[in-house]
Each structure stands twice: as C-alpha cells, then as structure tokens.
Amino acid sequence: MMNKDNLPTNRQLLQLINKYNVPGPRYTSYPTAVQFQSNFNQSLLTSEFRYRSNNPAFYSLYIHIPFCFSLCWYCGCTKLITKDQSRGDTYLDYLEKEMELVSEHIHPESSLRQIHFGGGTPTFLTPDQLLRLGELIRKYFRLHSTCEFSVEIDPRKVTEEHVIALTQIGCNRASLGVQDTNPEVQKTIHRIQPFEQTKKVTEDLRKHGIQHINFDLIYGLPKQTLQTFQKTLDDTLSLNPDRLAIYSYAHIPKVMPAQKLLKVEDFPSTEEKFTMLLTAIEYLQENGYEYIGMDHFAKEGDELSKALHEGSLQRNFQGYSTHADLDMIALGMSGISQSGRLYYQNEKDLNDYYSSLDEGILPIKKAYSLTDEDKIRRQIVMQIMCRGEINYDEFNSKTGINLQKNYPEELEQLSTFEGDGFLIKTPNGFHITETGRLFLRNIAMVFDEHLQSARRKASYSKTV
C-alpha cells in the first residue's frame, strides 16, 4: 500500500516532479502508435491473416463508435460531433461490411474472450442500434462462454432502454465517464453532468444485471482544487464502483484544438495536480482499492487485481486490462488491432473508412511489423508497466535473452532512478518502489529505442 510513511516529503516529491515531468508515451503499446507507417508492405497483412485463418485462438474485440452529441473541451478521443442518430445506422452498415471481411480470416474455432465498445460515445447509438450491433457480432464471431463484454457510457444520454439493450446483447461491464462532479469544473470543460444522472444510470445498470461498474475521472482539470477533487472521489465511492481510472489531464492544444477553449490560468499548478494524484492513491487504498499502476485502481479480488498478482495484466489501447495473451481485433474508424507480430490501424477519416469498405477492402491506413528487437523491448516495457519488476533469470528463461549482457547501457541508466528512490537493484534484477510507481513511464522510457525519433515526430503528454 502506498502511504505517506513510505513516500518522500512533499518538497522532495515536488523536486522529483520538476525533474521527471517531461513528455513521454503512455505505453498502451510498444512500439507506440507514432511508429505506424502508411507505406507498409501489404504482405504483412496477408501473412497475419493467413496465420489467423489457420490457427484457432481467443481474441479481444474492440469496436470504435466515433459519434458524440457535444464536444467536451478537454477530450482527445477520435470523435465526430453530431446529433443525427441516423448516422449510426449508416455506420453499422459499414461495420457489418468490415466484420464480414475480417471474419473471412478467422479460424472457425476461434472465439472472443473480450469485447469492448469505445468512442466517441458508444451509447450515442439508440437501443435498437445497440441490439443490431449485438446481433452482428454474433453473426460473424463466436463468443466464449466467459466473455467479458464492456461498454463505455456517457451518463448524460443513457436511458433505461439503453441499459436493457446492453444487457440483452450480453454486456456485463460498464465504464461510466464521470471526469469530475463539481458544477463549476463541469461548466468550464463544457460537460454538464449532474451527479444524479451518474447515480441513476449506475442504479439502472445494476437493476438489469450489469454488476461490474467502472468510473473514469480526470485530475488536473481547470477550476479543480484539492477540495473539489476530494468531493469527486467521495461522490464516486458512494456508488461503490469495482474499478476506477483516474487519468492525468494532458494539455496539448496543438494536437487537440478544442483545448484552446480552456484558460491556462484556470489550471491547478503542477504541485496541486500531483497532490490530487497522491490523495487519490492514499484515499482509495484506505477504502479497499488496490493501486494497479499509473492511473488504474480496482477492488481487491477484482479480475484486474487478480491479473496484477497472477502476471496476466496487460496494457492495450484502452489502458490496463486482463488477458495479456489475447490478440486484439479492432473494428471501426481509427481502430488499432494488435498481435504478437503486427499493429495496424484503420482510417481515421470517416469518408475514407467508408470508401475502402465500398471497394471491398479492409480500411487499414497504417501498420507496423515488430522486429525481434521490438518484441524483446516490448516485454521489458510491459513488465515495468504491468508488474513493476524484472527478474533476469526469469526473463532469460522465457526469452533466451540475457538482459545484463544485451542491455548494459540501459541498466546503467537505471542507477539514476535508484538514486532517486524509484527502484531497487538486486544481483538478479530490479523492482520498482512505491514512489517509483508514480514514474513508471519515465522508467520504461529508458528501454524505448524509438523514443528519440518519436519525440521529433509527435507530441506526448507529460509523464506526471
């Protein structure tokens, strides 16, 4: 458990923040998406699809629904703002075309162990549209009997009929976007969401059998104070969620133009923002939640907590998740699929996405084939992000790679982190301390050989 007794003083922490709060990847993948290339070799896909066709496997399915009714000024998601829900019917038509093409390359004995609807706003779809989407999934894919089926929900636009439809298609986990419960903060970020709306949707979900509830919060928003953020935590815990994701607000207006509408003078200071994170970690642990890593928390005994202890925790493009062994198939505009060999991303422009499918071809815009070196470094980065430790003998046994021999410079760089109390080296590896868990991204960056070129090509959020 992280508590004040095993953390540096506030002054020491602030010094560490100032030293390490630099732009860096979130490592939802390695290599990161900035490495994906539009001029990829099509044979990469041919080889990947041939492998899937010939080998039965379990998969995770992600479906991106890009539409939102209104623009939240902080948001960096791939989205389209519209109030015309008939666009959902057209989008489902094209999702079916994509499903048909994808299913042709899936072994008939393969099945889905996870399904996730993300966005945008998946519940932009009407209840009837959600029912149709559920039917399409079962038409083109097999579902495992223990499939985890989750959906992101905007409580502002969800009726009880939506909840019933989600239950009918097999949804068993819901992630509710809350962000902050303070009215002034909500007004500032252009997302008015009275807490009663969140409470009502939560009650409806449980009433109709969706018992697993996650909440998403953001710290570092304009007009937030430590006091208002503590009230948001209190409000959230009163609804007894199973998991919480408490994301750091990333202010990158050059990449996310809507953020220009927010006033810089309204943001909390770096010290105030970091104090919110420390408060959340301590408060949630006191209330029975385990700190999974970076920005995720789960009740002790939750599947995410079990995955942490069993070593099956993973990072994917939705954050921390269970089932590290699953390849992901992503459908819809901008969706990113991943396997042990390949990443590929769909068109991010809706018209281009539609045009490709009209031509009878998958709407893949970018891809990246992992080299042998990438695969090794990915394991290192993910062990840091998901396990917080590396045992040299265990790593050598699994991969045939001697870390001490192959990565002496990187391991030497860890000495700086050891000096700052982030990790402890042993003769046979290293493990990250409670303080170091606040700086996982910085530690993982040491092993990212693409990082220097990636920094020149892309803007990252700050690591703290």
Side-chain angles (χ1 to χ4, degrees), residues 8-191:
T9 65
N10 287 343
R11 175 175 291 185
Q12 290 171 326
L13 275 173
L14 184 59
Q15 291 174 340
L16 292 173
I17 295 166
N18 291 331
K19 179 177 180 179
Y20 289 105
N21 193 24
V22 297
R26 291 180 57 82
Y27 293 115
T28 51
S29 70
Y30 181 86
T32 61
V34 295
Q35 300 303 319
F36 299 177
Q37 300 168 352
S38 56
N39 59 340
F40 61 91
N41 188 334
Q42 288 289 334
S43 66
L44 298 174
L45 296 174
T46 302
S47 175
E48 177 71 15
F49 295 154
R50 184 183 300 114
Y51 181 87
R52 286 183 180 174
S53 297
N54 295 329
N55 296 275
F58 296 127
Y59 291 100
S60 177
L61 177 69
Y62 172 76
I63 299 180
H64 189 79
I65 309 296
F67 305 111
C68 290
F69 289 104
S70 62
L71 179 64
C72 301
W73 292 350
Y74 62 86
C75 181
C77 298
T78 302
K79 59 198 173 294
L80 295 167
I81 308 302
T82 180
K83 296 185 184 298
D84 182 4
Q85 287 179 283
S86 68
R87 296 184 70 178
D89 291 316
T90 303
Y91 192 73
L92 290 176
D93 291 341
Y94 282 90
L95 277 177
E96 179 168 16
K97 292 183 179 184
E98 187 178 8
M99 288 182 189
E100 185 174 7
L101 291 171
V102 168
S103 65
E104 292 173 357
H105 305 293
I106 301 294
H107 192 283
E109 295 180 13
S110 293
S111 62
L112 304 178
R113 291 290 300 272
Q114 284 183 319
I115 301 172
H116 183 75
F117 295 169
T121 305
T123 47
F124 171 91
L125 299 178
T126 66
D128 284 343
Q129 289 168 342
L130 287 170
L131 290 172
R132 181 186 171 196
L133 181 54
E135 291 172 356
L136 291 176
I137 292 172
R138 284 174 167 76
K139 179 178 178 181
Y140 293 102
F141 302 96
R142 294 178 63 199
L143 273 64
H144 192 273
S145 59
T146 62
C147 182
E148 180 186 80
F149 192 153
S150 60
V151 59
E152 296 173 11
I153 286 178
D154 180 347
R156 297 174 298 169
K157 294 291 183 178
V158 172
T159 64
E160 190 168 358
E161 286 70 28
H162 280 93
V163 173
I164 293 171
L166 289 169
T167 303
Q168 289 177 345
I169 66 175
C171 181
N172 50 37
R173 182 177 292 277
S175 181
L176 281 66
V178 178
Q179 322 316 344
D180 191 284
T181 63
N182 182 270
E184 185 178 13
V185 174
Q186 292 180 359
K187 181 179 179 181
T188 302
I189 63 176
H190 200 240
R191 184 187 175 98

Side-chain angles (χ1 to χ4, degrees), residues 400-456:
I401 300 298
N402 186 315
L403 283 177
Q404 292 164 295
K405 180 179 179 180
N406 288 57
Y407 301 100
E409 294 182 6
E410 287 86 346
L411 294 175
E412 178 58 32
Q413 290 181 52
L414 295 182
S415 297
T416 300
F417 295 120
E418 185 176 34
D420 285 326
F422 292 0
L423 57 84
I424 297 173
K425 288 185 176 181
T426 67
N428 197 38
F430 62 88
H431 64 268
I432 294 168
T433 65
E434 295 295 340
T435 302
R437 295 180 73 191
L438 303 172
F439 299 90
L440 286 175
R441 294 163 69 181
N442 301 82
I443 298 170
M445 285 160 62
V446 169
F447 295 92
D448 187 343
E449 70 171 347
H450 296 280
L451 186 58
Q452 295 307 317
S453 60
R455 278 174 170 167
R456 291 193 294 268

Side-chain angles (χ1 to χ4, degrees), residues 123-270:
T123 47
F124 171 91
L125 299 178
T126 66
D128 284 343
Q129 289 168 342
L130 287 170
L131 290 172
R132 181 186 171 196
L133 181 54
E135 291 172 356
L136 291 176
I137 292 172
R138 284 174 167 76
K139 179 178 178 181
Y140 293 102
F141 302 96
R142 294 178 63 199
L143 273 64
H144 192 273
S145 59
T146 62
C147 182
E148 180 186 80
F149 192 153
S150 60
V151 59
E152 296 173 11
I153 286 178
D154 180 347
R156 297 174 298 169
K157 294 291 183 178
V158 172
T159 64
E160 190 168 358
E161 286 70 28
H162 280 93
V163 173
I164 293 171
L166 289 169
T167 303
Q168 289 177 345
I169 66 175
C171 181
N172 50 37
R173 182 177 292 277
S175 181
L176 281 66
V178 178
Q179 322 316 344
D180 191 284
T181 63
N182 182 270
E184 185 178 13
V185 174
Q186 292 180 359
K187 181 179 179 181
T188 302
I189 63 176
H190 200 240
R191 184 187 175 98
I192 304 300
Q193 183 177 320
F195 182 65
E196 285 304 313
Q197 287 183 328
T198 303
K199 182 179 180 181
K200 174 65 165 58
V201 173
T202 302
E203 291 172 346
D204 285 345
L205 288 165
R206 289 182 172 136
K207 173 183 174 182
H208 292 285
I210 300 178
Q211 301 297 329
H212 301 293
I213 308 293
N214 312 343
F215 288 144
D216 293 345
L217 307 179
I218 299 177
Y219 68 97
L221 291 169
K223 297 293 186 179
Q224 268 184 341
T225 67
L226 182 58
Q227 289 71 32
T228 64
F229 186 65
Q230 178 66 63
K231 179 62 164 58
T232 292
L233 291 174
D234 290 337
D235 290 341
T236 302
L237 290 195
S238 73
L239 299 181
N240 195 28
D242 298 279
R243 302 175 186 173
L244 292 102
I246 303 183
Y247 297 109
S248 169
Y249 170 73
H251 192 63
I252 317 176
K254 290 183 179 179
V255 180
M256 307 169 191
Q259 294 183 348
K260 295 177 182 178
L261 297 168
L262 303 174
K263 297 179 180 179
V264 175
E265 61 268 24
D266 287 338
F267 287 103
S269 68
T270 301

Side-chain angles (χ1 to χ4, degrees), residues 239-342:
L239 299 181
N240 195 28
D242 298 279
R243 302 175 186 173
L244 292 102
I246 303 183
Y247 297 109
S248 169
Y249 170 73
H251 192 63
I252 317 176
K254 290 183 179 179
V255 180
M256 307 169 191
Q259 294 183 348
K260 295 177 182 178
L261 297 168
L262 303 174
K263 297 179 180 179
V264 175
E265 61 268 24
D266 287 338
F267 287 103
S269 68
T270 301
E271 183 176 8
E272 290 170 329
K273 180 180 177 181
F274 197 63
T275 302
M276 292 178 195
L277 174 60
L278 294 178
T279 298
I281 293 171
E282 182 178 3
Y283 186 66
L284 291 175
Q285 289 186 136
E286 288 174 350
N287 283 274
Y289 292 84
E290 185 164 13
Y291 183 32
I292 302 300
M294 266 187 66
D295 41 32
H296 281 52
F297 303 80
K299 280 186 176 179
E300 297 169 6
D302 180 86
E303 292 300 316
L304 203 63
S305 180
K306 292 179 182 176
L308 172 67
H309 296 291
E310 294 171 356
S312 60
L313 188 69
Q314 68 159 333
R315 292 280 289 169
N316 61 29
F317 294 100
Q318 284 76 57
Y320 283 105
S321 182
T322 55
H323 298 300
D325 55 329
L326 298 184
D327 289 352
M328 176 177 287
I329 298 171
L331 305 177
M333 167 186 148
S334 81
I336 300 177
S337 300
Q338 62 185 85
S339 71
R341 301 160 297 279
L342 184 70

Side-chain angles (χ1 to χ4, degrees), residues 31 37 40 44 341-343 367-372 374-375:
Q37 300 168 352
F40 61 91
L44 298 174
R341 301 160 297 279
L342 184 70
Y343 297 119
Y368 183 86
S369 179
L370 279 77
T371 66
D372 290 340
D374 288 332
K375 294 173 185 177

